[in-house]
Amino acid sequence: MTDSARDRFERSADELRPKLYRYCARMTGSVVDGEDVVQDTLMKALVALPNAGVIDNIESYLFRIAHNTVLDFLRRRAREPVMQNEEALEMFPAPDSTHRDQEAAATSLRTFMRLPALQRSSVILKDVLVHSLEEIASITGASHAAVKSALQRGRARLRELASEPADVSQPMLSHAMRARLNKYVHGFQDGDFDTVRTMLADDVKLDLVAKLRKHGKAEVREYYAAYAAAKQWAFAAALVDGRPAMLVYDREISLERPAYFVSLEFDGDRVASIHDFLYARYALEGIDVCLLPS
């Protein structure tokens, strides 16, 4: 493959990334896991590219890889044991979610997870991403008849779920985790990035989604300089799809709807992983957000 052909492929892959993300996030039921699967997909596609021959339809090619990658991810996740720790014994209910209406429930990432894999895939590809039945069959490896049946059953099941009473169960967060998250967010609110940096684990991982990745406290420390210099952002602690996160608002646009979010993982009292969606704002679509008191 020539350099120009590779460049065209990479440009097409970048343009398709939001669509790939919408698929993978709904298939995994997680904004973070969905983005990780997208990155794995693009890496696999680039590795396989020299031996792929002529690719007539780059979108179908990438979605086939994404579909197989997400199924591998789901199989691995099903085999992983559910981890428990002391904090799991100290859970308390968080405030009501800001997304409780029936329409949002019917299209949320978690709702899609209640469908079997082929139904989920067929509904997402047809009704969210507007693929034809023939394309879905090519992507999933299922027959046209199987895809058509899965689509009908998946749509019917989503209508059933939309008619169910709203889920009154609320996201849970331990007192200790809430304190850590609020400390991190308050550092952004107050411009106290020295305190924020002290919270980083030595082997912290940063994923500035669709832009760059860094690993290690020394490299990640520089990430905060841009936030320290900017004055347009406002911040709030939240749960995004049940995970600790920081919502980021653009003061010039809206202080009611976040512009994007930053998903965080903690190891004890240290920040172990940061997924910043500044350059991937499409990730806001379909998420379940629960604001936390400061």
Side-chain angles (χ1 to χ4, degrees), residues 6 17-18 29 47 58 68 73 76-77 118 120 132 159 161 165 172 198-199 204 207 245-246 254 263 279:
R6 183 184 177 90
R17 186 174 187 133
V47 169
I58 292 177
N68 291 326
F73 170 84
R76 287 196 306 272
R77 187 165 68 183
L118 184 57
R120 192 186 328 156
S132 68
R159 286 193 293 270
L161 294 173
M172 309 291 279
T198 65
M199 298 181 67
V204 61
D207 187 357
M246 179 174 70
S254 174
S263 182
Y279 295 102

Side-chain angles (χ1 to χ4, degrees), residues 189 231-236 247-251 255:
Q189 292 170 338
K231 303 301 181 185
Q232 73 187 97
W233 308 120
F235 309 95
L247 302 182
V248 185
Y249 299 83
D250 190 331
R251 298 178 190 275
L255 290 177

Side-chain angles (χ1 to χ4, degrees), residues 83-91 174 176:
M83 302 302 293
Q84 297 286 344
N85 56 40
E86 292 182 3
E87 289 187 359
L89 304 177
E90 304 175 5
M91 305 305 265
S174 72

